């Protein structure tokens, strides 16, 4: 049937089910609308009739510009009668002819064109569920057959037929593309970009109209350092003016311009600078553990909800003087309002950073807190971080990632609830509780009155175990991160449970978990972090003596025997980046199977 040209009402046109592009730059649509108003529509849009209405096939930008930015109620359209597959092909081809297409969009358009042409072939259709997976399989097969032929290796007849059938079709399709391109080069250089890209990079690439090398550079940065990636992305929204950032040491850090104006090299250089500054800042933070003044000590302990009489006792002051000084809080609030960063304000006011985060993150939801701290929020039960977050906790043997604590608080507590940490060590739990506005009572056998007044001194005895406080209030969450069996035994004090024999170590948990159960309320949750202990060093996996091991299942059994009901096992692997390649290669030679698995067991009382 011949096409008909007609002015049709815009409200009668439905969008195309084959149009995948969802991102349209508003400014560019306005420019297009201005040209439509001045010169009219140079090329009509293409539609097909469908149930008394029309379905758009090509011309989404023209239609959007007309609807949103012109007074016109109708639009010139070419009406054609085509089936779904033809509509899809026309839509894909038309898409590629658009000007100012970003790299990702044009690769996706080519994928769509190829798929729309090959989909009628049963063999091709069965190669996968989506155009990307189908093409990946097809390209992979053709590429390897072609390589074998080039190397003059034997190739089965079936493979030769497949190559013959599809290469011809592909060459035909590629010949018709507006830009000269060969299918092999497309498979090797362009296709990986859409196959491997994650959703957030795709979005950023579209918003910033990035080219291929920019996309590769930003993807590489994301793989190397999440912090650098976040920094570049968060500070380079297209409307941003160039920025020079000051880090907490007052040094100038990487200057960042709108992402689209940065070359791939500049993106990588900026990332390198951010990573270097971050390392320096971490090192300085490690060294700068403050002796706190009395005002700061009182604020921290009060904000963590430690009862007055215990604060007075710990700080050796009268109960009447346990009051907060609003001056210092106001000074921090003033800094934050004036865009002074958290580390700078902490330094200026002589406060630990977590307390300043506490003030900065007040009146926010937990999700907003994760965002502000630049942490992704994990949705699944596998929590892995390459590195610690040095803003929380002290340089302490066995220190855990602050994100692990934050996720536990997020899933198992609510704002204002009480967390109990019986072996607080470097203080990651109280620090994160401060930032996330949970109360926290924490204890450890090591006494650091001046640096960590909030961690009260208490030694859990192996015999005649007692609860350290006799308040009526019971915790909502007991978070226990004990020294793992034999691990770091020499780093902790002599009376640490890490020095116990296997039997006594397990006996300690039997008593502790019973006691904790007794001091819990019906809704209390227990979070117990530990790892398998296996005597794997220097032995092959087959020769390990399992009689000496303590597996996570042993702790789970003890927990259940004490009355706790286990609700979740969360994998929190330890970072494996710290292993020296030499060690790894020795392990591999011996077939030694190391341990990085660490598990957070969650249980409830009832
Ligand atoms: C793995 S560390 C905790 C680390 C902490 N979660 C952090 O991220 O900094 C275990 C702590 O348990 C403490 N500890 C060991 N035996 C103890 C006992 N019998 N009573 C009290 N604390 C003990 C050690 O002093 C050590 O600080």
């Amino acid at each position: 049937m011949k096409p008909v040209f007609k002015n049709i009402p815009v409200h009668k046109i439905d969008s195309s089910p084959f149009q995948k592009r969802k991102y349209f730059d508003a400014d560019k649509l306005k420019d297009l609308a201005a040209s439509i108003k001045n010169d009219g529509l140079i090329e009509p849009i293409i539609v097909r009739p469908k149930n008394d209405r029309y379905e758009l096939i090509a011309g989404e930008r023209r239609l959007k510009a007309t609807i949103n930015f012109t007074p016109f109620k109708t639009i010139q359209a070419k009406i054609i009668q085509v089936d779904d597959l033809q509509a899809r092909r026309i839509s894909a081809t038309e898409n590629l002819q658009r000007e100012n297409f970003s790299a990702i969009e044009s690769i996706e358009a080519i994928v769509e064109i190829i798929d729309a042409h090959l989909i009628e072939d049963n063999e091709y259709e069965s190669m996968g569920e989506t155009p990307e997976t189908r093409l990946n399989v097809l390209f992979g097969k053709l590429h390897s057959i072609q390589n074998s032929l080039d190397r003059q290796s034997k190739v089965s007849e079936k493979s030769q037929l497949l190559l013959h059938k599809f290469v011809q079709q592909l060459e035909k399709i590629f010949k018709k593309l507006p830009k000269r391109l060969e299918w092999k080069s497309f498979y090797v250089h362009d296709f990986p970009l859409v196959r491997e890209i994650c959703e957030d990079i795709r979005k950023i690439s579209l918003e910033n109209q990035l080219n291929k090398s920019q996309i590769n550079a930003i993807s590489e940065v994301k793989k190397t350092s999440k912090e650098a990636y976040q920094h570049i992305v968060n500070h380079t929204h297209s409307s941003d003016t160039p920025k020079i950032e000051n880090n907490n040491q007052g040094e100038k850090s990487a200057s960042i311009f709108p992402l689209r104006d940065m070359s791939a090299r500049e993106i990588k250089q900026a990332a390198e600078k951010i990573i270097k500054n971050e390392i320096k800042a971490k090192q300085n933070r490690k060294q700068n553990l403050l002796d706190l003044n009395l005002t700061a000590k009182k604020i921290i302990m009060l904000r963590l909800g430690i009862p007055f009489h215990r604060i007075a006792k710990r700080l050796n002051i009268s109960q009447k003087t346990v009051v907060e000084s609003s001056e210092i809080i106001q000074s921090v609030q003033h800094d934050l309002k004036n865009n002074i960063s958290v580390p700078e304000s902490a330094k200026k006011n002589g406060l630990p950073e977590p307390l300043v985060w506490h003030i900065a993150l007040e009146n926010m939801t937990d999700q907003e807190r994760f965002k502000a701290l630049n942490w992704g929020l994990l949705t699944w039960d596998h929590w892995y971080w390459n590195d610690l977050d040095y803003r929380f906790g002290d340089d302490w043997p066995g220190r855990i990632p602050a994100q692990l604590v934050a996720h536990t608080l997020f899933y198992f507590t609510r704002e204002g609830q009480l967390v109990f940490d019986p072996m607080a060590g470097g203080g990651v739990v109280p620090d994160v509780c401060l930032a996330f506005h949970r109360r926290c009572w924490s204890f450890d056998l090591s006494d650091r009155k001046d640096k960590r007044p909030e961690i009260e001194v208490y030694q859990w005895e192996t015999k005649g175990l007692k609860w350290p406080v006799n308040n009526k209030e019971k915790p909502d969450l007991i978070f226990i991160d004990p020294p793992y069996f034999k691990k770091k035994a020499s780093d902790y004090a002599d009376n640490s449970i890490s020095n116990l024999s296997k039997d006594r170590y397990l006996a300690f948990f039997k008593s502790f978990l019973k006691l904790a159960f007794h001091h819990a309320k019906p809704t209390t949750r227990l979070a117990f972090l530990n790892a398998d202990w296996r005597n794997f060093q220097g032995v092959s996996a087959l020769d390990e003596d399992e009689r000496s091991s303590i597996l996570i299942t042993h702790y789970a059994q003890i927990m259940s025997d004490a009355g706790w009901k286990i609700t979740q096992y969360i994998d929190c692997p330890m970072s494996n980046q710290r292993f020296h390649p030499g060690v790894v290669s020795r392990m591999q030679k011996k077939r030694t199977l190391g341990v990085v698995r660490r598990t957070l067991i969650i249980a409830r009382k009832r």
Side-chain angles (χ1 to χ4, degrees):
M1 231 201 249
K2 262 191 154 185
V4 178
F5 290 86
K6 213 168 145 186
N7 258 332
I8 56 177
V10 288
H11 72 264
K12 287 194 89 178
I13 308 172
D14 299 320
S15 57
S16 160
F18 309 115
Q19 171 60 277
K20 287 192 175 164
R21 307 288 84 72
K22 297 280 178 250
Y23 179 74
F24 295 89
D25 185 318
D27 287 341
K28 291 204 174 122
L29 284 185
K30 280 182 197 159
D31 290 346
L32 180 59
S35 111
I36 294 173
K37 276 194 276 185
N38 287 337
D39 309 323
L41 192 65
I42 293 168
E43 212 187 315
I45 61 166
I46 306 175
V47 297
R48 60 172 174 165
K50 207 165 190 190
N51 313 328
D52 291 343
R53 293 178 62 81
Y54 297 97
E55 184 184 276
L56 187 69
I57 294 178
E60 182 147 20
R61 287 180 69 241
R62 280 163 280 164
L63 181 63
K64 271 194 165 23
T66 307
I67 293 176
N68 295 318
F69 303 112
T70 74
F72 307 142
K73 299 280 173 263
T74 60
I75 188 164
Q76 245 292 283
K78 178 176 171 184
I79 305 166
I80 56 174
Q81 303 277 353
V82 285
D83 63 19
D84 278 0
L85 191 60
Q86 285 168 312
R88 188 177 163 210
R89 284 179 189 162
I90 298 170
S91 166
T93 312
E94 147 83 12
N95 241 337
L96 197 61
Q97 280 157 357
R98 250 175 59 187
E99 282 172 19
N100 58 36
F101 229 28
S102 73
I104 295 265
E105 282 173 310
S106 58
I107 299 171
E108 286 178 343
I110 294 174
V111 169
E112 181 65 9
I113 290 176
I114 305 172
D115 192 71
H117 278 84
L118 299 184
I119 196 68
E120 278 178 316
D121 183 292
N122 290 343
E123 190 177 6
Y124 172 74
E125 200 202 351
S126 67
M127 287 181 186
E129 292 289 316
T130 63
E132 279 79 17
T133 48
R134 283 191 286 271
L135 265 190
N136 194 29
V137 173
L138 178 67
F139 278 144
K141 282 187 179 177
L142 298 183
H143 200 246
S144 96
I145 301 170
Q146 185 75 65
N147 279 349
S148 304
L149 286 176
D150 292 348
R151 272 185 285 141
Q152 293 174 346
S153 317
K154 224 174 151 204
V155 171
S156 72
E157 204 175 315
K158 199 174 151 212
S159 299
Q160 294 201 27
L161 282 176
L162 186 108
L163 186 78
H164 190 69
K165 173 167 131 192
F166 284 107
V167 163
Q168 272 189 351
Q169 295 193 58
L170 282 173
E171 281 173 352
K172 242 194 200 162
I173 299 168
F174 273 82
K175 234 188 214 151
K176 282 197 197 145
L177 295 180
K179 204 169 72 175
R180 258 182 70 95
L181 195 61
E182 236 209 302
W183 74 266
K184 266 185 269 170
S185 142
F186 178 75
Y187 172 54
V188 175
H189 302 295
D190 304 70
F191 188 55
L193 219 58
V194 295
R195 199 187 55 213
E196 286 159 15
I197 202 166
C198 51
E199 201 36 54
D200 55 337
I201 295 201
R202 183 178 181 277
K203 190 164 165 262
I204 288 159
S205 309
L206 292 180
E207 281 172 6
N208 291 279
Q209 299 276 301
L210 300 186
N211 63 31
K212 259 195 295 183
S213 41
Q214 287 169 312
I215 300 171
N216 280 328
I218 194 76
S219 307
E220 213 176 284
V221 171
K222 187 174 178 192
K223 278 186 211 144
T224 323
S225 157
K226 283 234 169 70
E227 277 153 359
Y229 168 74
Q230 291 289 358
H231 194 104
I232 292 180
V233 169
N234 289 343
H235 293 97
T236 55
H237 276 302
S238 34
S239 56
D240 264 3
T241 44
K243 268 187 184 162
I244 305 277
E245 298 260 310
N246 256 328
N247 68 9
N248 63 330
Q249 265 66 55
E251 302 167 55
K252 298 264 181 272
S253 70
S255 34
I256 311 256
F257 299 90
L259 195 50
R260 70 171 62 151
D261 296 340
M262 289 169 86
S263 69
R265 216 172 108 217
E266 282 166 340
I267 294 174
K268 286 186 200 159
Q269 281 172 344
E272 271 168 31
K273 237 180 183 172
I274 294 164
I275 294 168
K276 263 194 206 150
N277 284 342
E278 203 51 49
I279 293 171
K280 253 196 222 158
K282 280 174 184 172
Q283 282 165 350
N284 284 341
R285 267 177 231 165
K286 273 190 193 172
Q287 288 151 12
N288 285 345
L289 192 61
L290 303 163
D291 263 4
L292 299 176
N293 61 37
L294 187 61
T295 316
K297 287 179 186 171
K298 282 196 262 187
I299 301 175
I300 293 171
M301 296 180 82
L302 281 165
R303 294 283 169 135
L304 285 173
I306 301 173
F308 286 72
H309 68 278
R310 296 213 318 257
I311 299 180
K313 188 172 163 219
R314 177 81 170 137
L315 300 182
N316 213 0
I317 54 177
S318 98
Q319 217 168 299
K320 270 192 234 136
T321 59
V322 181
V323 278
E324 207 174 85
S325 135
S326 55
E327 237 167 71
I328 197 133
I329 308 257
Q330 280 161 5
S331 158
V332 172
Q333 284 165 340
H334 180 264
D335 287 349
L336 297 172
K337 246 190 219 142
N338 288 295
N339 287 332
I340 292 181
S341 71
V342 169
E344 276 177 308
S345 173
K347 202 167 178 188
K348 191 165 149 253
N349 294 291
L351 299 178
E353 218 177 295
L355 178 58
V356 179
W357 277 115
H358 169 85
I359 300 165
L361 304 182
E362 213 160 10
N363 304 323
M364 281 193 189
T365 64
D366 281 345
Q367 265 141 310
E368 288 165 341
R369 289 173 182 143
F370 269 91
K371 226 178 184 171
L373 289 164
N374 242 337
W375 292 340
L377 178 53
L378 304 179
T379 318
W380 314 107
D381 54 0
H382 181 89
W383 300 349
Y384 177 73
W385 300 277
N386 259 339
D387 201 1
L388 298 169
D389 189 315
Y390 294 92
R391 294 172 296 185
F392 299 92
D394 310 331
D395 192 7
W396 193 261
R399 173 194 202 172
I400 50 175
Q403 301 94 311
L404 193 162
V405 178
H407 278 77
T408 314
L409 298 185
F410 178 79
Y411 286 109
F412 300 106
T413 66
R414 298 283 170 261
E415 175 137 3
Q417 287 192 330
L418 179 62
V419 178
F420 186 96
D421 181 355
M423 296 190 180
V428 177
V429 174
D431 279 357
V432 178
C433 281
L434 259 185
F436 279 73
H437 289 254
R438 269 53 168 184
R439 291 175 298 134
C440 179
W441 297 350
S442 57
F443 305 87
D444 202 281
L445 52 79
S446 80
D447 184 5
R448 295 183 298 146
K449 222 190 214 100
D450 290 321
K451 293 184 166 46
R452 284 286 178 182
E454 74 275 32
I455 304 182
E456 297 171 68
V457 190
Y458 190 72
Q459 181 182 341
W460 299 92
E461 302 289 347
T462 40
K463 275 197 187 120
L465 204 60
K466 281 199 210 91
W467 203 241
V469 289
N470 51 15
N471 293 67
K472 276 207 192 99
E473 185 169 8
K474 293 185 167 160
D476 296 286
L477 172 76
I478 301 172
F479 186 103
I480 172 153
D481 170 32
Y484 306 156
F485 180 57
K486 286 199 180 166
K487 258 210 177 139
K488 306 206 184 279
S490 56
D491 288 331
Y492 301 126
D494 289 345
N495 42 0
S496 159
I497 57 162
S498 38
N499 290 309
L500 300 176
S501 67
K502 181 181 161 187
D503 287 347
R504 291 188 64 207
Y505 181 78
L506 291 177
F508 169 79
F509 285 109
K510 278 184 193 152
S511 333
F512 174 82
L513 291 166
K514 264 191 206 149
L515 185 72
F517 188 81
H518 177 74
H519 285 274
K521 53 186 174 183
T523 53
T524 298
R525 293 277 169 161
L526 175 79
F528 178 89
L529 188 66
N530 216 313
D532 285 346
W533 188 85
R534 298 195 337 254
N535 205 356
F536 66 86
Q537 284 179 27
V539 248
S540 86
L542 281 172
D543 296 333
E544 259 181 50
D545 180 0
E546 76 282 357
R547 282 168 306 180
S548 59
S549 61
I550 307 181
L551 301 185
I552 208 75
T553 45
H554 293 133
Y555 299 108
Q557 187 58 50
I558 297 175
M559 216 179 259
S560 306
D561 292 346
W564 293 99
K565 310 238 173 344
I566 295 176
T567 52
Q568 284 94 0
Y569 288 93
I570 301 165
D571 278 344
C572 311
M574 290 172 269
S575 164
N576 52 17
Q577 289 213 337
R578 61 209 158 101
F579 295 115
H580 190 274
V583 176
V584 174
S585 122
R586 277 198 297 281
M587 286 170 71
Q588 289 178 345
K589 254 190 212 142
K590 273 219 152 137
R591 296 179 189 249
T592 298
L593 183 66
V595 179
V596 286
R597 207 170 69 111
R598 175 173 55 186
T599 309
L600 184 69
I601 310 181
I602 306 288
R604 61 183 165 78
K605 182 161 177 178
R606 210 176 48 191

